[in-house]
Amino acid sequence: MLETSARLLRLLSLFQARRDWTSTELATRLGVTTRTIRNDIGRLRELGYPVDARPGVAGGYRLGTSSALPPLLLDDEEAVAVAVGLRTAANGSIAGIEETSVRALAKLQQVLPSRLRHRVSALQSYTLPMPSRGPQVDPDVLTLIASACRDRERLRFDYRAHSGAASRRSVEPYRLVNDRRRWYLVAWDLDRDDWRTFRVDRIEPHGPTGPRFTPRALPPDQKITAQVARGVGEATWRYRARVIVHAPAAYVRGRLPIPVEVDRCAFEPGSDHPEMLALYLGLLDADFTIVDSPELVDALQNLTQRYQRAIDASQQTSACSAHRSRHHQQHESPPESGQS
């Protein structure tokens, strides 16, 4: 009996990690026969887990949805992560979810083992959340996109770009990325035949998801997040320039506030205004040459003249202060000498 219970828990864990399994895959994972898998599927259904059978030779199974929420299987780290995530969501960037998150957190804490409850309580006691000031995302939209990524189903939606331009998109969704209280969708744009990154708060889904698609080769997750961060930083730039910095490329990348492609010692930074870009270049603390960017040269000249005026004014102020000090000392009355 204990062996069967342990196997059911393992089977449930597999279904929660991935939606679709064949009976052969499950039997191989658990080291049993496909007949045992069929029996275990029946036991899970009796416990309230909606396991759907997919017809065909492969004999596939999928964990579906039901009218009631069956128990979830979480290990220690997952339980702590869920508790912390609910705490963060109470003051996070998803609209209308704050009160729901608090209620769910209270239920979770009630059943947490003492050792995990202490860990979560410590985080709550000594963590001070900041109120969200960024754009908020509809939790239903976020859930819909996450489900489409998981199930490899196409998405159709209206999209509003940073410039305000509206367009209709049909994409293959792959990853959701959260960066500085904003959510981004990394997807393959079917009409443009290329990878694109979309702000989720600017997405208005249309109709049901689907059909399913064959996934394309993806780079490692670290490269995906780096590309999103770089694209987010460059998306709003109105002005760009080519700059050659007389320093190693690694040094330049380390001094920049956002990820930028640096080819040896040359790169193409950007900003809303040439003056702002000139200030950033000054923070590199390295000599540089501007390539064919007269607006940036003019901005540097303006800053140079402004700084020089500040230096001249400061020197003049210091000279006046020194003169007043000497004048005051010269006119001070000497102390009276005493009679012997």
Side-chain angles (χ1 to χ4, degrees):
M1 187 65 179
L2 180 60
E3 180 181 353
T4 301
S5 300
R7 192 173 62 250
L8 289 178
L9 290 175
R10 175 58 178 158
L11 180 60
L12 180 59
S13 178
L14 291 175
F15 275 125
Q16 292 177 348
R18 199 179 89 192
R19 191 174 187 183
D20 291 295
W21 293 88
T22 66
S23 58
T24 302
E25 289 175 331
L26 293 173
T28 302
R29 286 293 190 100
L30 299 178
V32 295
T33 64
T34 55
R35 180 177 180 179
T36 301
I37 292 298
R38 288 195 297 271
N39 293 335
D40 287 346
I41 293 297
R43 294 187 180 97
L44 285 179
R45 288 169 176 165
E46 292 175 357
L47 293 172
Y49 293 97
V51 183
D52 301 328
R54 188 174 70 247
V57 178
Y61 294 102
R62 168 185 290 190
L63 186 61
T65 58
S66 66
S67 58
L69 179 67
L72 298 177
L73 183 63
L74 300 175
D75 60 25
D76 287 1
E77 299 303 323
E78 289 172 340
V80 172
V82 170
V84 174
L86 290 170
R87 170 68 174 175
T88 303
N91 291 280
S93 58
I94 304 179
I97 205 172
E98 295 87 351
E99 183 181 351
T100 307
S101 300
V102 172
R103 293 202 308 267
L105 180 61
K107 293 178 180 178
L108 179 61
Q109 285 182 309
Q110 186 175 3
V111 297
L112 281 178
S114 176
R115 65 184 187 281
L116 301 184
R117 193 161 53 247
H118 289 322
R119 289 172 60 182
V120 175
S121 297
L123 284 169
Q124 290 180 345
S125 300
Y126 297 100
T127 301
L128 187 62
M130 292 290 290
S132 174
R133 297 179 181 177
Q136 291 188 317
V137 176
D138 186 336
D140 292 335
V141 173
L142 198 63
T143 303
L144 174 68
I145 295 175
S147 299
C149 291
R150 179 196 63 190
D151 299 337
R152 301 168 181 172
E153 295 177 342
R154 292 181 181 177
L155 275 176
R156 293 176 295 275
F157 55 84
D158 288 336
Y159 188 70
R160 177 177 48 83
H162 174 72
S163 62
S167 60
R168 179 70 59 88
R169 302 298 183 97
S170 180
V171 304
E172 297 175 354
Y174 283 86
R175 291 289 187 275
L176 280 168
V177 180
N178 183 264
D179 179 60
R180 289 168 289 186
R181 295 186 179 274
R182 286 182 171 88
W183 287 95
Y184 299 91
L185 167 65
V186 178
W188 179 266
D189 194 315
L190 294 169
D191 295 326
R192 290 154 182 82
D193 197 32
D194 197 4
W195 293 102
R196 288 292 188 270
T197 301
F198 303 94
R199 277 262 299 269
V200 175
D201 58 289
R202 296 174 179 165
I203 289 177
E204 294 184 11
H206 276 282
T209 59
R212 301 190 69 182
F213 60 88
T214 302
R216 302 171 189 271
L218 274 177
D221 288 347
Q222 290 183 345
K223 288 188 177 182
I224 293 176
T225 54
Q227 179 62 37
V228 170
R230 183 163 50 250
V232 168
E234 297 176 357
T236 59
W237 287 349
R238 300 177 183 175
Y239 175 81
R240 299 179 71 91
R242 182 164 179 80
V243 178
I244 298 177
V245 183
H246 306 299
Y251 171 84
V252 176
R253 281 191 290 265
R255 299 284 296 189
L256 293 173
I258 63 171
V260 174
E261 288 291 344
V262 180
D263 182 12
R264 296 182 180 177
C265 298
F267 71 115
E268 294 185 1
S271 182
D272 284 347
H273 305 284
E275 291 78 8
M276 182 63 69
L277 181 54
L279 289 172
Y280 277 124
L281 291 174
L283 295 175
L284 290 178
D285 195 24
D287 294 338
F288 56 88
T289 302
I290 300 170
V291 181
D292 192 24
S293 301
E295 300 90 349
L296 182 55
V297 173
D298 292 341
L300 286 170
Q301 289 176 340
N302 292 336
L303 284 176
T304 301
Q305 294 170 2
R306 185 175 296 115
Y307 289 154
Q308 188 61 53
R309 290 194 297 269
I311 292 172
D312 294 342
S314 299
Q315 291 175 342
Q316 185 177 2
T317 301
S318 299
C320 291
S321 298
H323 176 73
R324 286 195 299 268
S325 178
R326 288 194 299 270
H327 181 76
H328 179 72
Q329 292 176 359
Q330 290 173 358
H331 288 77
E332 268 190 346
S333 298
E336 297 182 359
S337 57
Q339 300 288 334
S340 57

